[in-house]
Amino acid sequence: MQRQSADRRFAVWLSDPSFAAVEIARGIGYGAVVLDIEHGSFDLADLERFIPFSKALGLEVLAKVLGPERGPIQQALDFGADTVVIPHVASAEHAEQVTAFAKFPPLGDRSFAGGRTTGYGGFTDAWVAEQDAHTRCLPMIEDAGALDDIAEILALDTVDGVFVGPSDLSLRRKRGAYSREEGDFADLKTVADAAAAAGKPWVLPAWSPEEKEFAVRHGADQLVLTMQHGALAAGFAAPFEQMAALTAAPPTDR
């Protein structure tokens, strides 16, 4: 497979630390990877190896951390993640508290740890400013309260944009399972419009053609185009279905 140029607008979603998966994705042309630490099988040892490996391939790393807490946020950044995606943000007040863990004082309340990000040495004021400017903090909009407070969340200095969680948002907005219906796209438009008004990016997991088209039309900064398990299922299913069709066909005389 000939290696293509990386396009950071397009990401792949991983649920476990598959080195082959990120190498394949990068070869195809994906420029970013979302690590689902919250629901996946990543542990700290995996992250310590997998984040720098992915970055060395030229992929931007978005770490969807275990929860809205100091430890998981700081660990992902200390391992070198470019972006922390923070799940289960309930409101603007909650966002102000937890996004502070991604930025150093006086902007936020991130704690310093000498390690990979400092070249295993000390640090300077310039390094702090560079970290705050170039490591992104994206609270997830997957709670009804977060959607209600979207403008206030985007106005926070510790927030660099937002990442939508459509499935949980549909459940918490009492629409039931996410079905890509009118109410779902109305919520996505609320997020897109608020992000545009704030001049900050928004990111969407866009599995379907309808979601992809919507995200492009409404200026999403990044689209997560496929998830690891779905891609495996589709890849396994295609040859199986081909053979099922062949074996089901009546024999022909030669």
Side-chain angles (χ1 to χ4, degrees):
M1 180 173 61
Q2 184 176 359
R3 184 170 167 135
Q4 303 297 316
S5 298
D7 191 333
R8 69 163 297 277
R9 295 175 299 170
F10 306 131
V12 62
W13 182 292
L14 296 188
S15 297
D16 62 57
S18 171
F19 291 89
V22 289
E23 289 178 313
I24 292 168
R26 175 60 190 85
I28 290 169
Y30 285 90
V33 59
V34 177
L35 310 183
D36 188 1
I37 303 164
E38 179 192 6
H39 295 296
S41 59
F42 296 92
D43 60 27
L44 291 180
D46 292 327
L47 294 173
E48 199 274 336
R49 295 186 294 266
F50 198 70
I51 289 175
F53 179 83
S54 300
K55 292 184 66 171
L57 291 175
L59 291 166
E60 185 176 316
V61 176
L62 290 76
K64 186 165 83 75
V65 299
L66 189 61
E69 301 169 357
R70 177 189 291 274
I73 293 167
Q74 292 185 168
Q75 285 166 339
L77 292 174
D78 289 341
F79 290 145
D82 300 290
T83 300
V84 284
V85 178
I86 305 176
H88 306 300
V89 172
S91 64
E93 182 180 5
H94 189 208
E96 184 174 19
Q97 174 191 351
V98 300
T99 60
F101 301 140
K103 305 291 182 180
F104 287 107
L107 179 59
D109 194 34
R110 178 180 171 186
S111 177
F112 171 75
R116 174 174 294 121
T117 56
T118 61
Y120 302 95
F123 71 110
T124 64
D125 290 339
W127 178 86
V128 169
E130 189 275 336
Q131 284 283 298
D132 283 346
H134 293 105
T135 55
R136 298 192 305 170
C137 177
L138 307 182
M140 290 192 73
I141 306 301
E142 57 179 353
D143 187 280
L147 185 66
D148 290 341
D149 290 355
I150 182 68
E152 292 84 356
I153 290 172
L154 282 161
L156 294 170
D157 290 338
T158 49
V159 168
D160 299 297
V162 291
F163 190 111
V164 187
S167 296
D168 278 346
L169 187 58
S170 180
L171 289 168
R172 289 176 170 83
R173 294 272 285 167
K174 300 182 180 179
R175 288 193 297 271
Y178 178 54
S179 56
R180 302 175 182 87
E181 294 184 349
E182 182 178 351
D184 299 309
F185 282 104
D187 283 353
L188 294 180
K189 189 174 186 302
T190 296
V191 174
D193 289 348
K200 292 183 178 181
W202 69 288
V203 181
L204 178 68
W207 314 140
S208 69
E210 295 81 6
E211 290 162 310
K212 291 176 174 66
E213 188 277 333
F214 179 93
V216 170
R217 182 158 44 91
H218 289 85
D221 178 61
Q222 287 177 309
L223 288 72
V224 193
L225 301 184
T226 188
M227 65 188 314
Q228 182 180 12
H229 294 160
L232 281 170
F236 290 161
F240 188 89
E241 290 166 357
Q242 290 169 1
M243 286 308 304
L246 287 170
T247 55
T252 58
D253 294 332
R254 294 182 180 271

